[in-house]
Amino acid sequence: MNPVLKVEDLSIRLPEGADRPYAVNKLSYSLYPGEILCVVGESGSGKSMTANAVMGLLPKAIQVDKGAIIFDGKDLISLEEKRARDLRGNRISMIFQEPMTALNPLMRVEDQIGEVFLIHSDLSKQQRKARTLELLKDVGLPDPEKAMRVYPHQLSGGQRQRVMIAMALALEPSILIADEPTTALDVTTQAQILHLIKELQRKHGTAVMFITHDFGVVAEIADRVVVMQYGDMVEIGSREQVLNQPQHPYTKKLIAAVPPLSAPDREIEDRAGQSPALSVKSLCKTYVSPGGWFKPARTVHAAQDVSFDLYRGETLGLVGESGSGKSTVSRCIVRLLDSDSGEILLGGSAIQDLDHKALAPFRKQIQMVFQDPYASLNPRKTVGRIIADGPIAQGVPVAEAMDRARELLKLVELPETALDRYPHEFSGGQRQRVGIARALAHNPQVLVADEAISALDVSVQAQILELIDTLKKKLNLAVLFVVHDLRVAAQVCDRVIVMQHGKIVEAGNTKAVFEDPQHTYTQNLIASIPGADWRSEHQPTAVGQPA
Amino acid sequence: MSILRKLSTNKVALFGLIVLVFLVLVAIFGPYLYETSPWKMVNRPFMPPMENTDLMLGTDTMGRDVLAGLVYGARISLLVGLISTLIALLIGVPLGATAGYFGGWIDEALMRFTEIFQTVPSFALAIVIVAIFEPSVYSITIAIALVSWPPVARLVRGEFLALRNQEYVLAARLNGQTNRNIILREILPNTLSPIIVMASLMVATAILLESALSFLGLGDPEIMSWGYMIGAARTVIRQAWWLSFFPGVAIAITVLALNLVGEGLNEALNPKLSGKRES
């Protein structure tokens, strides 16, 4: 079989001063008709670069050094810009990660898709409309007639991605390039979109180049896999080959870092006699956006009657999709948000109504690790000050606080020299270590980790998880782990709480919840995890193909 | 230090900086080197430039040395520009910071107050303020400051609104730091770049305002300034072009230099912009 797209000895040069000379180095692979080729790698591996070169989307500072991308017998790189553009629009199309920004917010869905036909075909207005409707039906949008007339902001993230896919498939391209199309989506939506892409690919025989960082997604969708590291292709092979018998040490390392989807056996301590470090009782929080003259007021119940206990030395997972209220709950607990009703007992004292001053002594007992390692450290402060400023604000002498900061750096396995350096000199994982050190500066009893590893690469994730676990044991911490990734939850949590629409739908020991979920939502959630069958000793009960 | 280095790679901004440094040196040392009082009659009136080697730029309607006027005027223009900008920052930054950080009714109240100043045409307001007080360097400086702080407050408020929910600010709140500490140590240092850029452009505007006031005869009668020179020469512009031309050029060059430096600073301090330039 002839490949539809052939990448030959492709090297793309990075501008001077980058961390390596080439974004991709001597890359060669082929994409065959009717297959899904997954390009996997961590951030900075250059996995998106080839796709960008195919689409002519490389930034000006980055140039193709040598090599060719052969499509339909023509080299896309040396081809004249206008003719290459014709090929791109007609025969190769792309979907992007962020469906929010990839659609024009001022155009109705109908016009947005119709525009593709307007530019690349000579269909009449009626024909364009009919084709658009057909496409929307194809991608499974509910009520496609109505969907024609709406604006992007009226659609959910998953629906927007469906519109994007409809646009990409409008001209029946031979190649569809998907750059992390499901990364911004919730796990159940992701499962639906992956299913859709696979189904459409079968139906139309399109070749798909699927770029992702998630091995779960690879296991779910790929026919063949390319693994990238620092711009080099380290491994290529069929899905079974790469996932189950990886050859290259880097692939092995990456796959080993993917947490298996099964909870390990854990000793369940009897907590009957102990008093909880943190106790939350019927916590409620409602957001009200005031109505105007023409729109009714909107209320969102972000937390409804949420109750749980957290003991020292255990990790409690708070699991749910976006909008489930898990972040609201965690922010209410640390008093970044005020709750409407209910009680938050920290070491036995109610803290939900304390004002700024009265709260100060309790701040030491409960601390938080944030999600974004880039936004959570003040770029104008040295790491030492970032860690020490909390205790200093609480009245600890500067010298003592700095000594303590030095100890904390050792505790989170960073060199002492980090003390006088600024955050931008560190990698994401190192920054997250600094964030943890800052949270530990007060010797807290309760540590709230708000999606603390979501922004990190999978191999770094594993290290940070291990660090949190070690610290938990060493310092006898109570850890509340807010997380959307069920694989992670299965690995690190002793107990989990599953939230949906602000309510707790299921709670229990991790192993029990994962092996025998009771609530339909939990069942759905677990079934939606990409690559669920791969690397799990216990297959979760399937609940039919999600729609 | 790195800001200076980045500025020096931008040739246009470097040119502006050199001009500005020259102007500042003239303003500081000029009056010592050039001791002729600008008010003193030194020769016959209406002497064109280059006629007398002692009086390179000629004399005005009263026989005063035009060059002396320029040198002494540089001092007053830069001084008024700098100090009024400083005062405007001292009003605008705390106001904007408070409004942006606390939000809610504090924000509403402070922003409505700011809008009162913004709705009145700033030049008209400056004239009224100078006219109410006696025209003097002080009243002029204060008048300019009072009409130029609202944009600063708006800018700082916007920056604070954007930064107050950043995770490092939340972390500082969790750390039990006081609001004052969070505003001064966590957020303010991160808003400095746009403030510096705006300040450099404000100095230019202030110089223009001061010249305009002096042109209208609302300047300090004790002090020679560029605006006053143009204003005094406007009736004789057809007989003696040089009387309004040279002070006009001085104003234009100063404002241009400040704008170039401001632009350069913007590029140097804003990593996104400077990145674009390279590509």
Side-chain angles (χ1 to χ4, degrees):
Chain A
M1 203 169 11
N2 283 331
V4 272
L5 186 82
K6 210 168 160 191
V7 179
E8 277 176 359
D9 202 25
L10 183 75
S11 294
I12 299 173
R13 188 177 276 286
L14 283 173
E16 262 175 60
D19 60 337
R20 58 172 194 258
Y22 291 99
V24 299
N25 192 12
K26 294 184 189 146
L27 200 60
S28 299
Y29 58 79
S30 305
L31 180 65
Y32 292 96
E35 75 164 350
I36 298 182
L37 177 72
C38 273
V39 182
V40 219
E42 295 189 290
S43 54
S45 62
K47 59 183 186 295
S48 298
M49 277 297 171
T50 324
N52 287 341
V54 173
M55 295 307 284
L57 291 175
L58 287 178
K60 274 206 184 97
I62 297 173
Q63 297 212 324
V64 174
D65 203 42
K66 65 177 197 298
I69 299 174
I70 311 283
F71 173 74
D72 207 12
K74 298 181 196 84
D75 179 14
L76 285 177
I77 289 165
S78 54
L79 203 63
E80 207 181 318
E81 180 54 35
K82 192 171 162 291
R83 293 187 55 201
R85 199 157 52 205
D86 259 7
L87 280 181
R88 276 177 200 131
N90 261 318
R91 310 275 311 277
I92 312 176
S93 56
M94 185 159 181
I95 45 180
F96 298 90
Q97 174 172 358
E98 211 36 86
M100 310 273 179
T101 48
L103 291 169
N104 184 342
L106 295 177
M107 272 171 109
R108 291 177 196 276
V109 166
E110 179 188 2
D111 303 327
Q112 206 122 206
I113 300 177
E115 198 180 45
V116 179
F117 295 120
L118 197 67
I119 295 168
H120 289 285
S121 72
D122 39 16
L123 296 179
S124 72
K125 200 172 174 199
Q126 250 65 40
Q127 284 171 312
R128 286 206 299 268
K129 204 163 176 175
R131 272 294 285 144
T132 306
L133 192 63
E134 206 177 300
L135 278 167
L136 291 181
K137 271 185 199 147
D138 242 18
V139 294
L141 271 176
D143 200 354
E145 262 113 54
K146 205 176 147 204
M148 298 268 282
R149 306 292 304 154
V150 302
Y151 288 98
H153 73 265
Q154 292 165 295
L155 298 168
S156 72
Q159 288 171 335
R160 280 189 205 130
Q161 202 58 291
R162 281 173 197 267
V163 172
M164 281 302 297
I165 293 173
M167 271 172 86
L169 295 178
L171 298 165
E172 307 247 326
S174 342
I175 299 176
L176 176 68
I177 296 176
D179 191 354
E180 303 256 12
T182 57
T183 308
L185 304 175
D186 277 327
V187 58
T188 47
T189 323
Q190 164 169 304
Q192 294 165 15
I193 296 290
L194 289 179
H195 184 66
L196 175 72
I197 290 178
K198 204 158 182 174
E199 191 187 286
L200 290 174
Q201 180 258 341
R202 291 237 176 85
K203 195 168 150 195
H204 300 278
T206 320
V208 179
M209 187 196 280
F210 198 103
I211 297 155
T212 182
H213 68 279
D214 186 343
F215 267 98
V217 172
V218 176
E220 192 75 31
I221 198 171
D223 294 315
R224 286 196 310 139
V225 185
V226 168
V227 184
M228 303 275 300
Q229 180 193 22
Y230 303 129
D232 294 315
M233 183 175 78
V234 296
E235 189 153 357
I236 182 167
S238 72
R239 171 177 61 176
E240 281 68 33
Q241 226 176 322
V242 173
L243 291 184
N244 299 329
Q245 287 116 34
Q247 299 303 315
H248 194 274
Y250 178 70
T251 320
K252 283 182 191 161
K253 191 183 119 201
L254 273 186
I255 289 178
V258 179
L261 182 60
S262 62
D265 287 310
R266 287 171 187 276
E267 274 179 48
I268 310 296
E269 265 185 72
D270 185 24
R271 307 268 183 193
Q274 285 178 299
S275 58
L278 173 76
S279 179
V280 176
K281 289 188 179 139
S282 16
L283 185 78
C284 291
K285 172 77 185 173
T286 309
Y287 292 106
V288 182
S289 50
W293 285 357
F294 301 110
K295 64 167 190 192
R298 216 170 77 99
T299 49
V300 176
H301 298 286
Q304 272 180 293
D305 200 17
V306 171
S307 309
F308 60 85
D309 289 331
L310 176 64
Y311 297 89
R312 294 196 76 165
E314 76 163 345
T315 306
L316 175 65
L318 201 53
V319 187
E321 294 186 290
S322 59
S324 64
K326 57 186 193 307
S327 282
T328 305
V329 169
S330 70
R331 288 190 177 205
C332 282
I333 291 169
V334 296
R335 286 294 313 275
L336 279 175
L337 282 175
D338 289 328
S339 46
D340 295 338
S341 64
E343 272 190 319
I344 302 163
L345 299 170
L346 186 62
S349 339
I351 59 162
Q352 73 274 13
D353 297 320
L354 297 179
D355 62 19
H356 194 85
K357 228 181 203 147
L359 197 62
F362 292 100
R363 291 282 196 208
K364 291 184 198 170
Q365 295 175 29
I366 184 162
Q367 283 290 315
M368 194 166 193
V369 180
F370 291 88
Q371 172 173 7
D372 186 349
Y374 292 89
S376 63
L377 305 180
N378 188 341
R380 307 254 170 173
K381 273 186 175 180
T382 61
V383 166
R385 289 304 295 213
I386 287 172
I387 299 173
D389 263 359
I392 291 172
Q394 301 272 10
V396 177
V398 177
E400 198 182 314
M402 289 309 260
D403 283 343
R404 174 92 181 108
R406 205 164 287 136
E407 278 170 37
L408 283 164
L409 280 179
K410 211 180 287 165
L411 200 63
V412 296
E413 293 154 26
L414 282 176
E416 237 178 67
T417 47
L419 213 59
D420 300 315
R421 286 158 66 190
Y422 286 87
H424 67 87
E425 299 174 50
F426 295 93
S427 71
Q430 288 171 322
R431 283 157 172 255
Q432 206 56 309
R433 285 170 193 268
V434 175
I436 293 171
R438 170 177 60 195
L440 294 177
H442 291 293
N443 283 323
Q445 291 152 20
V446 182
L447 190 67
V448 179
D450 185 5
E451 297 276 5
I453 47 141
S454 314
L456 303 173
D457 276 328
V458 60
S459 57
V460 184
Q461 253 182 22
Q463 293 166 14
I464 298 291
L465 285 175
E466 206 182 294
L467 176 70
I468 292 180
D469 204 51
T470 321
L471 291 173
K472 178 189 88 178
K473 285 183 189 127
K474 210 185 235 170
L475 307 172
N476 195 24
L477 293 171
V479 180
L480 181 66
F481 210 92
V482 181
V483 66
H484 72 276
D485 188 337
L486 291 168
R487 285 176 184 277
V488 171
Q491 287 317 297
V492 298
C493 301
D494 300 304
R495 290 189 296 138
V496 285
I497 292 174
V498 184
M499 285 189 72
Q500 184 194 20
H501 304 320
K503 283 192 202 131
I504 295 181
V505 296
E506 187 155 358
N509 290 324
T510 310
K511 202 168 169 63
V513 171
F514 272 80
E515 279 173 21
D516 184 19
Q518 299 299 315
H519 197 273
T520 38
Y521 177 71
T522 319
Q523 291 166 358
N524 209 340
L525 212 55
I526 292 176
S528 301
I529 301 172
D533 309 337
W534 170 64
R535 263 168 74 73
S536 64
E537 292 95 349
H538 310 279
Q539 295 202 358
T541 39
V543 282
Q545 199 59 254
Chain B
M1 213 44 229
S2 68
I3 294 169
L4 271 183
R5 206 179 315 128
K6 268 190 200 156
L7 256 190
S8 62
T9 57
N10 183 342
K11 289 201 180 81
V12 181
L14 192 66
F15 171 75
L17 195 66
I18 290 170
V19 173
L20 210 59
V21 169
F22 172 73
L23 281 168
V24 169
L25 289 179
V26 167
I28 296 173
F29 300 109
Y32 297 107
L33 302 176
Y34 208 86
E35 276 178 2
T36 342
S37 160
W39 300 101
K40 206 175 124 199
M41 198 173 150
V42 289
N43 211 316
R44 72 171 172 83
F46 293 108
M47 183 189 269
M50 312 305 272
E51 206 164 85
N52 183 331
T53 43
D54 283 344
L55 303 163
M56 290 293 283
L57 298 183
T59 59
D60 70 359
T61 48
M62 315 274 261
R64 297 176 295 211
D65 186 352
V66 174
L67 185 59
L70 284 186
V71 168
Y72 280 79
R75 181 177 263 196
I76 206 65
S77 286
L78 289 179
L79 211 60
V80 169
L82 278 177
I83 291 179
S84 64
T85 302
L86 214 64
I87 298 174
L89 288 180
L90 284 179
I91 305 171
V93 171
L95 225 107
T98 318
Y101 181 74
F102 291 103
W105 67 267
I106 298 180
D107 182 29
E108 286 287 325
L110 288 178
M111 280 304 112
R112 294 301 88 79
F113 177 68
T114 311
E115 273 159 20
I116 295 175
F117 280 83
Q118 281 195 305
T119 45
V120 184
S122 58
F123 190 55
L125 184 60
I127 291 177
V128 171
I129 296 171
V130 175
I132 293 173
F133 301 103
E134 263 175 28
S136 72
V137 181
Y138 304 105
S139 66
I140 291 172
T141 312
I142 288 171
I144 295 175
L146 280 182
V147 301
S148 46
W149 65 267
V152 182
R154 289 224 156 251
L155 173 84
V156 175
R157 170 180 175 267
E159 292 286 320
F160 267 69
L161 275 181
L163 291 178
R164 73 167 175 188
N165 282 326
Q166 286 278 311
E167 287 181 346
Y168 63 84
V169 179
L170 297 183
R173 269 168 66 192
L174 282 186
N175 259 329
Q177 299 204 30
T178 56
N179 287 330
R180 203 183 113 242
N181 246 349
I182 295 177
I183 290 175
L184 291 181
R185 298 241 188 96
E186 303 284 341
I187 308 184
L188 196 61
N190 287 299
T191 61
L192 277 185
S193 324
I195 295 178
I196 289 173
V197 172
M198 186 174 223
S200 70
L201 299 177
M202 275 168 65
V203 175
T205 322
I207 289 175
L208 283 177
L209 262 177
E210 188 273 332
S211 304
L213 285 172
S214 304
F215 176 82
L216 291 181
L218 286 167
D220 192 326
E222 309 281 319
I223 289 168
M224 181 64 74
S225 88
W226 294 342
Y228 165 79
M229 290 167 75
I230 300 177
R234 74 181 191 278
T235 49
V236 292
I237 193 160
R238 283 206 271 182
Q239 299 99 299
W241 57 270
W242 63 92
L243 294 186
S244 30
F245 178 75
F246 290 117
V249 167
I251 293 172
I253 287 181
T254 314
V255 172
L256 179 72
L258 277 163
N259 275 303
L260 292 179
V261 171
E263 195 107 310
L265 277 175
N266 193 20
E267 268 175 34
L269 293 172
N270 192 338
K272 277 184 207 143
L273 274 180
S274 60
K276 251 182 216 160
R277 187 155 252 256
E278 278 160 28
S279 59

